[in-house]
Every structure is written in structure tokens, then in C-alpha cells.
Amino acid sequence: SDEESVRALAHAAAEVGEPIQGAVLAAGIVHSKPLLDTSFEDWKRLHAVNADGVFLCLREFARVMIEQIQTSPVNTSSLVTVASNAARVPRAEFGAYGASKASAARVSSSFGLQLARHGIRVNTVCPGTTRTPMVTDAWNGEDPADIAAVNAFLISDASRHITMQNIVADGGATF
């Protein structure tokens, strides 16, 4: 959620030597309380990381990718945001979290619309509960490899005709 840190990350990735062809934005925090019990500070922190952080990452990586495309027009680029199926289906204990992830998904679609003219694809993956350190205490979901495979596909050339999609990868938890 720190603008300078995100800008530095995007520029450091650009300096590796090869054009950035894909980036998966998979950082996030979770909050599990009813909205009536959610403090404004918790609300702002969730949105700072889960929504503002996505906006900053998409903007900074897109800027670098556009510069790189100008020097290497055959470069096809893809950005993928990992949101949550909670962005699509309300949950009693995850209202603030779902709202922050819905914001991330929406800003990703808007970037997709604006970046299409540059040949940059932007998609969103909405997993269900995934076994990560953030949720292992209450484990009840798929393995990170299941989600990684979807992300790998979306940054590959095999998905070169897919953009602005919101792909739910939750094993059928939401339908």
C-alpha cells in the first residue's frame, strides 16, 4: 500500500533485463468480523492493502510495460489480480474483506479496458479459501497450486485472447 515501494518494485523488475511479460498481484490481508463490529481503522487497512495496493501495482507495472512495449512491440503483457470469491458472493463475517476484494476486481477490469490498446491483458482470479499462512488455522479449501495454475495460464501466451475476465477458481464453492 506504499506508493514509493510499489514504484520501486516495478522499476526493479524492469531492470532485470527482459521485458516484463506478466505479473500476478497476489498480496492481501483478511478480516473476519461482522460489519457492525468492524472498526473504521480495520476497514481502511483492508482497503489500503487489498484495493489501494492493487491499484498501485497495476498502475506502476502497466507504466513499465507500456514503456517496454514501445521498444519491443512484439511483447505481449499480462497482469493478473488475485481477488476472492468473497468479491462476488457476500458473506456474513467477511463484508469488509469482500468489499475490498470487489474493489480490486473492479479496478482490474477498468485497467483492462484502458490497457487493451497497448496489448496488455488484465484479468482477475477469484479463489475460494486457499491454504496459505493467512488462513491455515481455519483450513477448509484448495491448495495454492490450484490457484497458481490458473495464474500461470493467464500470464502465458495460451491466454492471449482473454482479457477483462473475472475467473472464479474455487472448486465450485460459489456457483
Side-chain angles (χ1 to χ4, degrees):
S1 63
D2 180 74
E3 187 173 17
E4 260 325 296
S5 295
V6 173
R7 185 174 294 122
L9 173 65
H11 287 285
E15 292 173 8
V16 170
E18 295 292 323
I20 300 171
Q21 293 183 309
V24 176
L25 315 173
I29 57 173
V30 70
H31 175 77
S32 174
K33 280 187 181 176
L35 287 170
L36 290 172
D37 298 329
T38 298
S39 71
F40 189 47
E41 289 304 312
D42 286 341
W43 174 270
K44 291 189 296 187
R45 184 170 175 260
L46 275 167
H47 283 77
V49 174
N50 295 349
D52 300 348
V54 167
F55 163 76
L56 292 171
C57 286
L58 287 168
R59 186 186 71 185
E60 294 307 318
F61 276 87
R63 286 175 173 172
V64 168
M65 289 174 164
I66 289 167
E67 287 177 26
Q68 291 176 337
I69 288 169
Q70 291 171 356
T71 59
S72 176
V74 296
N75 181 24
T76 59
S77 303
S78 176
L79 294 163
V80 178
T81 298
V82 178
S84 170
N85 63 2
R88 300 173 44 96
V89 178
R91 294 184 181 156
E93 303 292 320
F94 291 92
Y97 173 77
S100 70
K101 290 298 192 170
S103 179
R106 178 59 58 185
V107 77
S108 296
S109 296
S110 295
F111 267 107
L113 187 62
Q114 294 175 21
L115 296 174
R117 68 183 178 167
H118 299 287
I120 300 171
R121 299 174 285 114
V122 183
N123 291 289
T124 304
V125 175
C126 290
T129 304
T130 306
R131 184 177 32 190
T132 64
M134 186 168 68
V135 296
T136 52
D137 290 342
W139 173 241
N140 184 14
E142 60 257 13
D143 189 85
D146 298 329
I147 308 309
V150 178
N151 292 325
F153 168 72
L154 287 172
I155 61 171
S156 76
D157 285 340
S159 68
R160 67 183 169 270
H161 201 60
I162 299 172
T163 193
M164 296 176 53
Q165 297 305 302
N166 190 339
I167 299 170
V168 177
D170 67 4
T174 56
F175 54 93

